[in-house]
């Protein structure tokens, strides 16, 4: 477990540079999750560290496999200095702990809902999980372990989340693209959904 996290942290540092802050959160009955903050010009990236320590297990499996299964970490990118986004550390840790707490597999196209704003005053309480492999390359592990995927999180307004439930993740992403939505804007309005 520690070896995997050391490799994950090394990949984060190689790709994003040195973190300028980190916070650790522990929930009863779960492993510790850290959130690292990286500043890149006018963009702040928050990356979880700890979600990939164990593979995610299908909730229908009677016994979770300790080695095989998907592994992931979450990455959120927002514009710096626009909102108090540093308060997202605990909500991100909650999302990263959801596979252990709720027995879910977090994958591209999934919605994760906190039921409260991602940070104080945020117009978002949920995120869309995007495809890995863009910003941070997947981290290959020794077989039979699956690679660690670094999944970008795209904040959704309540209206966007409702629309995504009906139309699907692909439709929402196409709508964002068609309207030139800045998904890093921490105070953006909902994309037109007519």
């Amino acid at each position: 477990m520690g070896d995997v996290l050391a490799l994950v942290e090394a990949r984060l540092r190689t790709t994003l540079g040195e973190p300028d802050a980190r916070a650790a959160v522990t929930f009863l009955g779960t492993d510790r999750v850290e959130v690292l903050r990286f500043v890149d010009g006018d963009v702040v990236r928050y990356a979880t560290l700890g979600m990939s320590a164990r593979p995610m297990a299908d909730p229908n499996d009677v016994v979770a496999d300790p080695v095989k299964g998907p592994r992931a970490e979450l990455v959120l990118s927002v514009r710096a200095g626009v909102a108090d986004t540093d308060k997202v550390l605990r909500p991100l840790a909650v999302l990263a702990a959801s596979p252990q707490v709720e027995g879910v597999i977090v994958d591209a196209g999934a919605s994760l809902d906190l039921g409260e704003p991602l940070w104080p005053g945020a117009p978002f309480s949920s995120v869309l999980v995007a495809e890995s492999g863009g910003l941070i390359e997947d981290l290959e592990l020794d077989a039979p372990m699956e690679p660690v995927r670094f999944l970008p999180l795209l904040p959704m307004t309540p209206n966007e989340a409702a629309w995504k439930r009906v139309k699907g993740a692909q439709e929402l992403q196409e709508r964002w693209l068609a309207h030139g939505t800045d998904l890093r804007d921490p105070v953006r309005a909902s994309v037109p959904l007519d």
Side-chain angles (χ1 to χ4, degrees):
M1 178 170 95
D3 292 346
V4 169
L5 294 184
L7 292 170
V8 168
E9 184 167 358
R11 173 61 54 92
L12 289 170
R13 287 173 183 267
T14 301
T15 307
L16 303 176
E18 287 299 309
D20 73 337
R22 66 193 305 150
V25 181
T26 306
F27 304 100
L28 187 62
T30 67
D31 295 327
R32 181 170 101 153
V33 175
E34 289 188 85
V35 179
L36 284 61
R37 182 180 72 187
F38 301 87
V39 178
D40 180 15
D42 69 339
V43 175
V44 180
R45 300 186 200 287
Y46 301 94
T48 63
L49 178 63
M51 182 176 171
S52 62
R54 299 174 192 268
M56 293 180 271
D58 187 317
N60 297 319
D61 291 347
V62 177
V63 177
D65 190 311
V67 178
K68 293 181 185 176
R71 294 175 190 256
E73 295 291 351
L74 307 175
V75 181
L76 174 69
S77 300
V78 293
R79 298 245 174 260
V82 180
D84 188 11
T85 57
D86 280 350
K87 298 284 196 291
V88 77
L89 301 177
R90 184 169 175 77
L92 271 182
V94 168
L95 296 177
S98 62
Q100 286 186 56
V101 175
E102 299 173 27
V104 297
I105 294 179
V106 177
D107 202 1
S111 298
L112 302 175
D113 195 331
L114 283 163
E116 61 185 45
L118 287 172
W119 53 83
F124 320 105
S125 60
S126 62
V127 293
L128 174 65
V129 181
E131 292 284 342
S132 68
L135 176 66
I136 306 170
E137 194 177 313
D138 293 351
L139 174 64
E140 296 294 329
L141 299 175
D142 293 336
M145 293 188 285
E146 292 184 28
V148 175
R149 293 176 305 125
F150 298 89
L151 300 169
L153 300 180
L154 309 175
M156 295 187 291
T157 66
N159 286 345
E160 290 169 341
W163 203 80
K164 183 258 176 194
R165 280 191 295 275
V166 174
K167 301 280 190 171
Q170 185 66 34
E171 292 279 334
L172 179 58
Q173 289 177 307
E174 286 173 8
R175 185 157 290 264
W176 281 335
L177 191 60
H179 288 273
T181 305
D182 180 2
L183 296 173
R184 293 179 180 167
D185 182 350
V187 293
R188 72 172 179 84
S190 182
V191 71
L193 299 171
D194 50 359

